[in-house]
Amino acid sequence: MDPFSDVTSDDEAVWLEDPKTLQDSEWSRLSSNFTNAGYREGITAGKESALQQGFDEGFAEVGAPLGREVGILRGMALALISFLTASPDQASQQDLIQELRDISSELSRIRLSDIAPRDLEAERHAREHDIEGNTNGDEMDLELTEELKEKKDMEKLEDLMMQLNPEPASTSSAKRPTMDDVRRLKERLAALSVRLQLEPRWS
Amino acid sequence: MDFDLESLVDVEQRFYDDGYHDGFAHGKIHGSIEGRALGREKGFEMWEELGFYEGFALMWQAIHAQQSRNEDRTAHHIRQLLDLIGQFPRVNPSATEPSDLDIPRLFRQIRSRYKALCATLGVRPTLRAADSIAPNSSEDAENGNSQSSTRPSGSKSVWPVQSIDNQRSGEQFSF
C-alpha cells in the first residue's frame, strides 16, 4: 500500500510529521483525556454539593411564601362562595357570587412560573453556555430534571388547549397573569369582604 | 519523548485534578440553580394547598365572628386547623437542624381537620391535592427515577420532595 496516498488517516498523518509535533499532539491528547475525566467527576460532585442548599433557598424564599399567598386567596374566595351560595337571600347576592367566581377562576390560572422572580444566576449561566456554544455538549445534560421538564411540558400543553378552545375568548386568557394581578385579585377580595362586613385576619 | 513513568503518573493526576477543580465549580452552579428550581416548585405546591386551608379557615372565622355565632364545634375545628398549619415549616428543616417533625403526619392531620371543618359547615371539601391527581401521580414515578439517579445520599434529607408526594399519591385514592 502506498503510504503517501491521500487517504492517510489522522494517525498516519501524525507519523508523517516531525517528532516535536507528535509529542505535542500526544501530550495534548493525554492532557485532555485526563482533564475531561476529572471535569466529569467534578461536575457531578459539585452539583451534588450545592443541590440541597439551593433547594432550601428556593423553598423558603420563593416557593413557600408565594404558594401561601395564592393559596390563602383561593381558600378565602371559596369560603365566601360556599357561604353565599348557602345563604337564604342568595338571589340578591348573585353579583357578589359572580365576582367571587371570577376571582376564583383567575386565581386558579396562576402558576408559579407566572409570579416567581427571575433566577438571575440561572439566566446569567445560561447566557454563558450560549456564548460557549456547545463545546462541551455531552457534559451539559444538567439542564432541568425530568420532573421539572415534565411540568413545563404539561403547562405548554395546557396553553395549547387554551388556544384551541375557542369558547372563553376573554382577553385575560391570552396572556399570563403577573404578581400585579395577584395584588389586584387580593384587593377585589378585600373589597368584597368589606361589602359583606367581614374582617378576616389577612395574616 | 523522554519523560519517565513517575512524572507521567504525576502529570496524569494533575490533569485530572485540574479538570475536577473546574468541573466542581461548574457543577456547583448547576446544582444550586437546579436545587432552587426544585425547591421553588415544591414549596409552592405544598404551601398553596396549606394556604388554601388557611384562607378557608380564616374567612369562616370572620363569617362566624360577624354573625356572632359561637358554634363550638366549628370554632374548635377552625382553631385546630389554624394551629396545625402554624406548625408547618415554611423553611426546609434540613437547612437548620435535623428535626423530628413528622411532616406527612402533620399534612394528614391538616387534611382531615379541614374535612372535619367542612363537614360541620355542611360544605363539600375541595381537596386541593385532588386538582392535580393525574400530573402528580405520573410525576411521582419520574421523581423516583430522577431521585435515584441524580440525588446524592446526603440529599435524602430534602424532606418535602419524597415524603409528601408519596404521601399524597397514596392518599388520593381514599378520598
Side-chain angles (χ1 to χ4, degrees), chain A residues 77-148:
Chain A
L78 199 90
L80 285 178
I81 290 174
S82 53
F83 169 59
L84 291 180
T85 48
S87 79
D89 48 350
Q90 202 202 119
S92 67
Q93 290 172 325
Q94 214 45 59
D95 59 327
L96 291 185
I97 293 171
Q98 191 48 53
E99 162 76 346
L100 280 166
R101 290 201 199 285
D102 284 351
I103 294 174
S104 203
S105 84
E106 287 200 38
L107 282 170
S108 64
R109 286 186 64 229
I110 295 167
R111 296 170 186 160
L112 173 61
S113 55
D114 295 327
I115 56 175
R118 293 155 61 190
D119 187 335
L120 295 177
E121 192 194 9
E123 291 177 15
R124 199 179 333 114
H125 195 66
R127 275 199 301 277
E128 280 167 21
H129 276 293
D130 276 352
I131 293 164
E132 278 173 32
N134 267 344
T135 40
N136 27 15
D138 61 328
E139 281 136 20
M140 288 303 96
D141 52 354
L142 293 160
E143 289 309 320
L144 291 170
T145 60
E146 281 302 305
E147 191 186 351
L148 290 180

Side-chain angles (χ1 to χ4, degrees), chain A residues 170-199:
Chain A
S170 67
T171 45
S172 70
S173 63
K175 67 181 196 342
R176 300 301 314 164
T178 63
M179 205 58 210
D180 281 338
D181 292 312
V182 176
R183 253 172 248 125
R184 270 191 287 276
L185 289 167
K186 186 173 181 172
E187 280 160 21
R188 281 165 71 185
L189 203 56
L192 234 138
S193 318
V194 171
R195 272 177 73 186
L196 291 163
Q197 295 172 305
L198 294 170
E199 292 161 1

Side-chain angles (χ1 to χ4, degrees), chain B residues 5 7 9 13 17 19 23 33-34 41 44 47 51 65 78 106 108 125 130 133-134 144 150 153 172 174:
Chain B
L5 209 55
S7 75
V9 171
Q13 186 62 40
D17 289 348
I33 290 171
E34 193 179 301
E41 289 294 341
F44 188 83
W47 266 103
I78 289 173
L106 188 53
R108 238 182 354 255
I133 285 183
T150 63
S153 53
Q172 271 162 1
S174 63

Side-chain angles (χ1 to χ4, degrees), chain A residues 4 11 15-17 37 52 61 64 67 81 84 102 107-108 118 121 149 157 166 169 193:
Chain A
F4 298 103
D11 279 347
W15 292 111
L16 296 173
E17 283 158 20
Q52 179 72 66
E61 291 170 14
I81 290 174
L84 291 180
D102 284 351
L107 282 170
S108 64
R118 293 155 61 190
E121 192 194 9
K149 225 178 274 165
L157 201 64
S193 318

Side-chain angles (χ1 to χ4, degrees), chain A residues 52 56 68 74 151 196, chain B residues 41 48 54 66 92 128:
Chain A
Q52 179 72 66
D56 294 347
R68 182 160 179 261
R74 284 191 194 171
K151 178 151 191 236
L196 291 163
Chain B
E41 289 294 341
E48 200 206 358
E54 190 176 358
Q66 182 224 41
N92 190 349
R128 295 231 36 93

Side-chain angles (χ1 to χ4, degrees), chain B residues 33-153:
Chain B
I33 290 171
E34 193 179 301
R36 265 202 305 276
L38 272 171
R40 284 175 168 207
E41 289 294 341
K42 289 298 162 186
F44 188 83
E45 186 185 312
M46 294 176 85
W47 266 103
E48 200 206 358
E49 178 177 350
L50 294 164
F52 175 85
Y53 302 145
E54 190 176 358
F56 185 85
L58 287 171
M59 192 52 92
W60 273 107
Q61 199 172 44
I63 291 167
H64 276 243
Q66 182 224 41
Q67 302 186 329
S68 46
R69 268 197 273 165
N70 251 334
E71 282 137 279
D72 276 350
R73 252 152 50 91
T74 311
H76 173 74
H77 284 318
I78 289 173
R79 267 199 315 276
Q80 291 288 314
L81 181 55
L82 290 175
D83 177 61
L84 287 170
I85 294 167
Q87 288 173 37
F88 205 96
R90 294 182 207 174
V91 171
N92 190 349
S94 80
T96 49
E97 79 255 30
S99 105
D100 47 88
L101 196 58
D102 188 346
I103 296 295
R105 182 156 170 270
L106 188 53
F107 226 119
R108 238 182 354 255
Q109 286 175 318
I110 289 171
R111 290 202 181 106
S112 58
R113 186 60 71 173
Y114 165 72
K115 281 189 282 183
L117 173 61
C118 286
T120 57
L121 291 169
V123 167
R124 236 180 79 212
T126 314
L127 285 168
R128 295 231 36 93
D131 285 353
S132 46
I133 285 183
N136 249 337
S137 41
S138 61
E139 256 172 36
D140 281 345
E142 277 306 332
N143 203 8
N145 294 339
S146 64
Q147 197 79 17
S148 50
S149 60
T150 63
R151 280 291 149 83
S153 53

